[in-house]
Each structure stands twice: as C-alpha cells, then as structure tokens.
Amino acid sequence: MASKYLFIVSMDVTPEKEALFNEIYEEHIRFIKAVKGVGSVTRWKTEPAAFVIASERKPLEGTGMARYTAHYELDSPDILVSKEWGEASEKGRWADEIRPHTFNRSHVVRKAV
C-alpha cells in the first residue's frame, strides 16, 4: 500500500437499488480519486465463508456488518475535510440517486503501523 492511511466506508443498500448502486459507485469513485492525495480505491462485497480455529470449522456470518465496503488510500486524513473532497463527494448521481437508499453506514480511518 503506497499511502499511510486507509479510509474504510461500509454500507448496505436497499435491494431494489443494488444494481444502480454498483453502477453509480464506479462513477463516484472516479470523482473521489481525482482529489489530490487520494490513491487507489478498492470495493469489497461480503461473501459467505468459514475458517478453522482450534480444529473447529466456524462460519463467518458478519452479523450486523454492512455488505459493501470501500477502501480509499489517503495521504492524510485531512483530505476528508477538504473542500475538494466535499465537492467530489457531491458530484454525479451518487448524492441524489443512491445515498438516500443506503443504510447501516460506518466510516473509519486506519493508519499503517
């Protein structure tokens, strides 16, 4: 990872808007990546899985966790309060067509150690 900070955004979307959510999120990422100091962006979707610990198979349920997550590499967490970030996050169709249909949202910044 080239950046020292990771902005992690997680959310769910209403089922009837899921296809549009995935389409528009790609547009949204292009606007965000144009902000100076934003590196790569990777999107993730929760999948059913299991793991073994102490010789016992345990399902990974993710109860209560959002289904979609995006990782934004940042040079600094200050980018998130910049005018450029604020403007980029409101561009395109995201703010009007998708944001109102999202829920179970969470945001966190992590620093590489």
Side-chain angles (χ1 to χ4, degrees):
M1 188 170 110
S3 302
K4 292 187 180 199
Y5 296 93
L6 191 61
F7 179 47
I8 304 169
V9 178
S10 299
M11 69 189 74
D12 287 312
V13 62
T14 55
E16 65 275 6
K17 295 291 183 178
E18 192 165 6
L20 186 61
F21 168 85
N22 286 307
E23 173 191 327
I24 291 178
Y25 211 119
E26 294 305 315
E27 171 188 283
H28 180 63
I29 286 172
R30 285 193 304 275
F31 293 128
I32 296 295
K33 284 181 70 171
V35 175
K36 185 178 179 178
V38 176
S40 70
V41 178
T42 306
R43 294 185 61 221
W44 305 89
K45 183 175 113 179
T46 301
E47 292 291 320
F51 72 107
V52 174
I53 188 167
S55 300
E56 184 179 343
R57 185 178 196 274
K58 296 189 179 252
L60 292 169
E61 298 175 15
T63 304
M65 296 177 66
R67 186 169 181 203
Y68 288 95
T69 299
H71 292 175
Y72 299 81
E73 292 186 18
L74 304 176
D75 290 343
S76 165
D78 294 335
I79 292 165
L80 300 173
V81 293
S82 70
K83 177 182 175 191
E84 294 79 12
W85 179 276
E87 290 173 352
S89 67
E90 297 301 317
K91 283 184 179 177
R93 301 178 291 164
W94 179 261
D96 293 334
E97 294 184 44
I98 295 302
R99 190 182 293 144
H101 303 282
T102 62
F103 60 98
N104 194 23
R105 296 175 64 104
S106 66
H107 305 82
V108 66
V109 172
R110 305 276 188 204
K111 182 179 180 180
V113 294

